[in-house]
C-alpha cells in the first residue's frame, strides 16, 4: 500500500478546560463594585494622572504599581470611538449575529473599553455618539454584567 | 564575531486551504529537505541552530515545537520556538549569528489553519479578565481598527477594496498562492460582509503550509552560494494590548520597528531607496496603514497612495507582488513567507512576479490583533 492510497485520517479532539483567572486586586475591586454597586471603576496613576480603563496594576510609562486606593469611578456615560457590526456566529461569542462591538471612552477615562452596543439601529450609530451602560439585574461578577451600551 | 548575516536558501510548500495530505511535520520535511539539498548542507554536521515559528492551538499542542524537533534537527541541540510571526524568526536568527555563537541557522514556520477554528484560536489571544468573554477575535478587532482608521483620515471604501483588487491580482502570478483572481472594486465590496466594513475578499483566507530558510554568517554564506541576500536591517516593536489603549488610526509600533530597521540599513528615504515591499496585511485596510507606518506616505495618505497606482506590481513602489497574505499564506508563516518572497526577488528568481532590478527589499510582519507587534527586515543584494 503506497502513501497515496491512504485516506487522510484526522484524529478528533475537543480540548476543554474550565479555567479560573485571578482578576488581580484591582480587577477584583472592579468586578465587586460593578456587581454589588453597579458602578464602573478605573484606576488613576498618581504619578502621571492617566486614568486607565480597563483598570490595571501597572502604569507602563511610569513603571508605577497602582493600588486599589488609586481607583476612581468613571462614566457611566461615554463616547463611541469606533464600532463594527459582526455578521457571523461562534460558540465563544455570547451574542447572535448581527450584533455590534464598540470601543467606548467613558467620561473621566483616558483609554477606551471594548463592549457591545445595543438598543440602537446600526444605521444610527456614529463615532462620537454619547452612550450609557445597561446593566444586567442579576450580576455575576464578569464583563457581561454590563449588558451593552445604548445611546443617551 | 561575524559582520553580516545572509539568507542562503528559502523554500515554501504549496499553500492551500487544507493540506490534508500532510501533517505539520511532513510540511516541515518538505521545505527543510529543499533548503538542505539546495545548499548541500546537512542537518547533523552543518546546521548549528534552529528556530521554529508556530502556534500552539493550531498545532493542538502546547510548546508546539516539540512535535517537529526531529525534522528541524532539534534533538540534543539548541532549538527555539517563536510563538509569533515568522519575520521574528529572521530577527532572532540574525541576532544569534551576529553574537558569534552560531554559523548556520535553520528557520522554519508552519501552520495548518484547517486544523481548527480560526476565530476561537484568536479569541484565546485576548486577555481573559476584560476582553475574551466578549467573544472578540482578530476579524472583529480588525474591523474596529478599520472603522476608526477610515473615519479619522477620511479613507474611502473603494480605496480599501483596491488593496484586495491589487493583491488578489498579484497572487495570480505566485505559484504557491491559492486565493487569486481579477476582481473589480464592486466584487470586493459586494462579497459577504464579515464585520463591517471588512468583507470576505478583504481577509487573508485560512491556509495550510510551511516555509524554511537558512541564515548564514558572512564567511559561511560566501562558501555556500554566489548569490546570498544580506540582512541589512532589523527592527521590532510592540503596541499596547487593549484596543482602547491604542490610537487605532495609526501604528506607532510599526513606525518604531521600521525606524530601527531603516537606521541599521542606512535607508533614508524608503520610497527612493527600496525597490520592493512585502507586508503582512491580514485585512485589506491594514496595507494602507502599513504604507503609512513604513513611511511610504504621510499619515492618513494610504488611500491616496493606492489611488496613485504606485504600489501596483507595475508601479515604482511595488507592495506585495506576491499577493501578500490575501493571496493565501498561513498565520505565523506569513512573515517568513514575505522574507522568502523578498529573497527570490533580490536573487532575480521571482518568475512572473519578478520586479525589475530589485536590489533592496523591505519586509514587514505582524502578530497580535490589529498588528500589536511589528517586525521589519531590510534585505539587500549587497
Ligand atoms: Zn503613570
Amino acid at each position: 500500500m503506497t502513501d497515496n492510497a491512504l485516506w487522510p485520517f484526522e484524529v478528533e479532539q475537543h480540548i476543554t478546560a474550565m479555567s479560573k483567572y485571578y482578576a488581580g486586586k484591582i480587577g477584583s475591586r472592579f468586578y465587586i463594585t460593578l456587581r454589588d454597586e453597579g458602578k464602573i471603576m478605573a484606576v488613576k496613576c498618581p504619578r502621571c494622572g492617566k486614568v486607565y480603563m480597563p483598570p490595571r496594576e501597572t502604569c507602563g510609562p511610569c513603571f508605577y504599581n497602582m493600588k486599589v486606593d488609586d481607583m476612581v469611578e468613571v462614566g457611566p456615560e461615554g463616547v463611541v470611538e469606533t464600532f463594527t457590526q459582526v455578521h457571523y456566529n461562534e460558540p465563544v461569542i455570547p451574542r447572535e449575529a448581527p450584533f455590534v462591538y464598540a470601543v467606548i471612552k467613558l467620561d473621566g477615562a483616558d483609554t477606551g473599553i471594548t463592549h457591545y452596543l445595543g438598543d440602537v439601529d446600526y444605521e444610527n450609530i456614529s463615532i462620537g455618539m454619547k452612550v450609557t451602560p445597561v446593566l444586567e439585574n442579576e450580576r455575576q461578577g464578569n464583563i457581561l454584567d454590563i449588558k451593552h451600551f445604548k445611546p443617551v | 564575531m561575524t559582520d553580516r548575516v545572509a539568507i542562503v536558501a528559502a523554500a515554501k510548500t504549496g499553500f492551500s486551504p487544507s493540506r490534508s495530505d500532510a501533517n505539520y511535520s511532513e510540511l516541515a520535511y518538505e521545505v527543510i529537505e529543499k533548503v538542505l539539498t539546495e545548499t548541500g548542507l546537512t542537518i547533523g554536521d552543518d546546521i548549528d541552530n534552529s528556530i521554529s515559528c508556530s502556534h500552539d492551538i493550531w498545532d493542538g499542542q502546547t510548546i508546539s515545537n516539540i512535535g517537529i524537533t526531529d525534522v528541524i534537527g532539534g534533538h540534543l541541540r539548541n532549538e527555539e520556538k517563536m510563538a509569533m510571526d515568522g519575520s521574528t524568526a529572521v530577527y532572532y536568527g540574525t541576532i544569534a549569528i551576529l553574537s558569534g555563537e552560531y554559523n548556520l541557522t535553520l528557520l522554519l514556520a508552519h501552520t495548518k489553519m484547517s486544523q481548527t477554528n480560526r476565530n476561537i484560536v484568536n479569541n484565546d489571544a485576548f486577555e481573559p479578565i476584560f476582553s475574551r468573554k466578549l467573544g472578540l477575535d482578530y476579524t472583529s478587532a480588525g474591523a474596529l481598527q478599520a472603522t476608526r482608521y477610515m473615519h479619522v483620515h477620511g479613507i474611502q471604501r473603494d480605496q480599501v477594496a483596491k488593496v484586495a483588487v491589487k493583491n488578489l491580482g498579484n497572487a495570480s502570478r505566485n505559484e504557491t498562492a491559492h486565493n487569486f483572481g481579477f476582481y473589480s472594486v464592486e466584487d470586493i465590496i459586494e462579497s459577504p460582509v464579515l464585520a463591517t466594513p471588512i468583507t470576505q475578499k478583504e481577509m487573508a483566507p485560512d491556509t495550510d503550509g510551511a516555509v524554511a530558510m537558512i541564515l548564514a554568517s558572512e564567511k559561511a554564506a560566501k562558501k555556500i552560494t554566489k548569490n546570498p541576500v544580506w540582512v541589512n536591517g532589523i527592527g521590532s516593536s510592540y503596541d499596547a494590548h487593549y484596543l482602547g489603549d491604542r490610537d487605532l488610526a495609526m501604528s506607532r509600533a510599526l513606525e518604531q520597528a521600521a525606524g530601527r530597521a531603516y537606521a541599521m540599513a542606512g535607508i533614508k528615504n524608503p520610497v527612493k531607496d527600496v525597490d520592493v515591499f512585502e507586508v503582512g496585511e491580514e485585512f485589506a485596510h491594514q496595507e494602507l496603514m502599513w504604507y503609512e507606518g513604513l513611511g511610504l506616505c504621510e499619515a492618513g495618505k494610504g488611500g491616496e497612495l493606492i489611488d496613485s497606482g504606485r504600489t501596483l506590481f507595475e508601479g515604482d513602489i511595488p507592495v506585495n507582488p506576491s499577493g501578500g497574505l490575501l493571496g493565501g499564506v498561513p498565520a505565523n508563516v506569513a512573515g517568513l513567507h514575505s522574507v522568502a518572497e523578498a529573497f527570490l526577488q533580490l536573487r532575480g528568481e521571482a518568475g512572473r512576479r519578478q520586479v525589475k532590478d530589485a536590489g533592496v527589499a523591505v519586509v514587514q510582519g505582524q502578530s497580535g490583533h490589529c498588528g500589536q507587534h511589528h517586525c521589519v527586515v531590510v534585505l539587500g543584494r549587497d
Side-chain angles (χ1 to χ4, degrees):
Chain A
M1 195 168 177
T2 67
D3 274 8
N4 290 339
L6 273 172
W7 186 256
F9 185 84
E10 291 173 327
V11 178
E12 261 189 47
Q13 295 201 6
H14 189 100
I15 302 174
T16 311
M18 179 56 209
S19 310
K20 288 175 188 286
Y21 301 103
Y22 177 44
K25 296 179 189 75
I26 283 176
S28 300
R29 168 86 188 277
F30 172 89
Y31 280 119
I32 292 165
T33 312
L34 176 63
R35 183 190 64 195
D36 300 346
E37 301 170 44
K39 290 178 181 171
I40 300 175
M41 302 289 285
V43 66
K44 182 175 181 174
C45 173
R47 217 168 262 183
C48 69
K50 190 164 177 174
V51 178
Y52 288 101
M53 185 71 220
R56 65 207 67 175
E57 281 74 18
T58 312
C59 175
C62 298
F63 192 62
Y64 185 85
N65 184 222
M66 296 180 284
K67 302 288 191 302
V68 169
D69 285 346
D70 298 321
M71 294 183 76
V72 290
E73 189 180 344
V74 291
E77 292 184 4
V79 171
V80 172
E81 298 222 292
T82 185
F83 62 94
T84 179
Q85 186 181 46
V86 176
H87 289 261
Y88 53 85
N89 292 301
E90 292 291 356
V92 292
I93 304 177
R95 288 286 182 281
E96 280 286 309
F99 68 94
V100 177
Y101 283 121
V103 176
I104 297 146
K105 199 176 268 185
L106 297 175
D107 295 347
D110 291 312
T111 63
I113 183 172
T114 307
H115 216 286
Y116 308 111
L117 291 186
D119 302 331
V120 59
D121 288 333
Y122 175 68
E123 292 68 31
N124 295 329
I125 300 171
S126 60
I127 289 176
M129 188 171 81
K130 201 86 177 131
V131 292
T132 193
V134 177
L135 302 184
E136 292 285 356
N137 291 327
E138 299 288 320
R139 294 192 286 273
Q140 314 291 322
N142 64 56
I143 200 65
L144 301 179
D145 285 353
I146 301 171
K147 207 169 161 184
H148 56 251
F149 286 78
K150 67 169 189 186
V152 172
Chain B
M1 178 93 181
T2 178
D3 289 325
R4 306 169 84 193
V5 174
I7 305 171
V8 294
K12 44 184 182 167
T13 62
F15 296 144
S16 79
S18 176
R19 282 289 306 268
S20 57
D21 62 302
N23 65 20
Y24 63 79
S25 131
E26 287 174 298
L27 292 178
Y29 190 88
E30 204 174 304
V31 285
I32 290 173
E33 189 189 31
K34 275 187 203 160
V35 291
L36 291 175
T37 306
E38 194 185 318
T39 54
L41 300 170
T42 65
I43 211 157
D45 296 330
D46 303 313
I47 301 294
D48 54 12
N49 187 26
S50 305
I51 301 175
S52 67
C53 226
S54 61
H55 192 292
D56 287 354
I57 304 179
W58 261 306
D59 281 0
Q61 183 173 39
T62 59
I63 326 176
S64 53
N65 51 330
I66 59 180
I68 45 99
T69 47
D70 43 7
V71 58
I72 198 173
H75 281 317
L76 300 174
R77 288 253 298 279
N78 186 55
E79 198 272 320
E80 288 296 339
K81 177 192 150 176
M82 308 299 310
M84 293 171 78
D85 180 68
S87 54
T88 56
V90 176
Y91 184 95
Y92 285 100
T94 298
I95 287 171
I97 292 175
L98 287 176
S99 78
E101 183 72 10
Y102 302 110
N103 253 322
L104 288 161
T105 298
L106 174 63
L107 310 180
L108 167 76
H110 63 87
T111 300
K112 290 194 72 176
M113 293 179 75
S114 68
Q115 290 191 157
T116 187
N117 177 320
R118 159 197 204 139
N119 291 337
I120 295 177
V121 170
N122 289 335
N123 177 246
D124 277 345
F126 285 82
E127 62 78 28
I129 310 296
F130 298 101
S131 315
R132 191 183 299 162
K133 222 177 171 66
L134 295 167
L136 289 160
D137 55 50
Y138 285 12
T139 304
S140 50
L144 290 166
Q145 179 188 42
T147 305
R148 182 74 194 173
Y149 169 65
M150 292 168 73
H151 171 82
V152 169
H153 297 299
I155 302 292
Q156 300 301 304
R157 188 66 192 80
D158 66 313
Q159 292 174 320
V160 175
K162 278 180 186 173
V163 172
V165 171
K166 169 177 77 70
N167 289 359
L168 295 175
N170 285 354
S172 67
R173 285 184 289 263
N174 178 353
E175 66 280 359
T176 60
H178 68 84
N179 195 39
F180 51 84
F182 298 97
Y183 297 102
S184 66
V185 163
E186 291 69 35
D187 293 335
I188 304 299
I189 295 173
E190 285 162 16
S191 72
V193 176
L194 300 171
T196 56
I198 296 173
T199 65
Q200 202 158 47
K201 285 197 163 39
E202 291 172 315
M203 179 178 80
D206 283 15
T207 304
D208 289 0
V211 170
M213 190 174 289
I214 296 175
L215 297 183
S217 63
E218 182 162 15
K219 205 173 150 196
K222 286 179 171 165
K223 280 185 206 153
I224 294 164
T225 175
K226 286 197 182 74
N227 217 357
V229 167
W230 302 99
V231 180
N232 290 331
I234 48 175
S236 156
S237 179
Y238 254 108
D239 211 327
H241 177 73
Y242 291 113
L243 290 167
D245 278 24
R246 297 193 221 169
D247 181 345
L248 288 175
M250 65 181 297
S251 177
R252 196 163 281 138
L254 177 53
E255 286 175 10
Q256 285 203 358
R260 287 170 194 160
Y262 290 166
M264 200 182 291
I267 302 273
K268 294 200 172 64
N269 179 347
V271 172
K272 284 192 185 140
D273 299 346
V274 181
D275 302 307
V276 57
F277 291 82
E278 283 287 337
V279 305
E281 71 331 349
E282 188 178 10
F283 305 100
H285 74 276
Q286 290 180 338
E287 184 170 305
L288 303 182
M289 296 185 72
W290 305 164
Y291 291 166
E292 299 170 21
L294 286 165
L296 306 188
C297 60
E298 285 172 35
K301 303 293 184 195
E304 289 176 28
L305 184 55
I306 187 92
D307 280 344
S308 75
R310 296 179 69 186
T311 59
L312 294 173
F313 175 61
E314 304 81 7
D316 66 321
I317 323 170
V319 179
N320 281 332
S322 71
L325 309 196
L326 296 183
V329 183
N332 310 302
V333 175
L336 198 61
H337 173 262
S338 301
V339 174
E341 278 294 313
F343 170 80
L344 293 174
Q345 288 286 354
L346 297 178
R347 300 240 290 193
E349 295 169 357
R352 290 170 59 218
R353 60 193 179 284
Q354 180 67 50
V355 170
K356 207 169 161 244
D357 299 328
V360 178
V362 164
V363 170
Q364 171 263 4
Q366 52 129 341
S367 46
H369 60 264
C370 303
Q372 190 187 349
H373 177 259
H374 290 267
C375 182
V376 174
V377 182
V378 182
L379 300 167
R381 217 162 37 197
D382 304 308

